[in-house]
Amino acid sequence: MVKVLFVCLGNICRSPLAEGIFNQFLDTKNLNKNIICDSAGTSDYHAGELPHNDSMRVASENGITLTHRSRPFVKEDFERFGYIIGMDSSNISNIKKIGMESFIPSKLLLMRAFDNQKSNRDVDDPWGYSFRKFEECYKILHECCDNFLNYLVKEHN
Ligand code: 4NP
């Protein structure tokens, strides 16, 4: 079983959307028995909350229902998950500060290592911006999730 954790700051905008998109791919490709995912935030600012309305909206417009409740990233996540995918470089540095110990460094990756350009850029935080930003975020995450899943399938055949 391959286990993936998507991480952002608040765990209400980007990472729960990534989780929803990735799960949709897993369902479509019948891979949900081999690969699972979850999401978390490096802060506890929104612990227990459903995703942001605009993440829920863009997900729903694309046939995805988000039910995740925000939770903070915890040290145990390094043991629970095989891959940890940060939405931006500050997420990655916050995760590293928690103390990675035995976690394989090459399995802590930026989401945009999997965009079509392998750009390693940030998935910009749409929090506080208009719905348009959430739509842009969705597009990027959709492309990255597609490529990331293909990568996992190749790695783990
Ligand atoms: P996210 O967006 O990290 O994509 O969930 C944010 C949501 C809330 C806050 C920051 C980013 N906040 O500071 O409350």
Side-chain angles (χ1 to χ4, degrees), residues 7-16 40-43 45-46 52 55 70 87-88 91 123-128 134 137:
V7 180
C8 62
L9 174 59
N11 191 214
I12 54 166
C13 299
R14 293 164 292 174
S15 62
T42 58
S43 76
Y45 302 155
H46 296 275
H52 189 288
S55 283
S70 175
M87 298 297 124
D88 66 33
N91 304 147
V123 178
D124 290 332
D125 192 347
W127 194 65
F134 285 79
C137 185

Side-chain angles (χ1 to χ4, degrees), residues 57-136:
R57 180 177 157 200
V58 76
S60 144
E61 287 179 359
N62 289 280
I64 299 166
T65 306
L66 303 182
T67 56
H68 179 79
R69 297 273 174 177
S70 175
R71 70 156 180 99
F73 182 92
V74 291
K75 212 175 161 99
E76 290 71 36
D77 287 321
F78 288 121
E79 285 136 50
R80 290 189 198 128
F81 294 93
Y83 291 86
I84 298 174
I85 309 296
M87 298 297 124
D88 66 33
S89 56
S90 74
N91 304 147
I92 300 282
S93 55
N94 287 332
I95 290 166
K96 284 182 178 164
K97 275 184 214 149
I98 294 170
M100 294 197 11
E101 268 125 46
S102 61
F103 193 79
I104 302 165
S106 62
K107 294 195 170 180
L108 172 62
L109 292 157
L110 271 170
M111 187 55 141
R112 291 193 74 168
F114 298 97
D115 69 21
N116 291 341
Q117 285 72 38
K118 300 184 169 68
S119 73
N120 274 299
R121 288 172 54 195
D122 290 343
V123 178
D124 290 332
D125 192 347
W127 194 65
Y129 291 91
S130 69
F131 183 61
R132 173 68 72 85
K133 268 276 191 193
F134 285 79
E135 292 180 306
E136 283 168 16

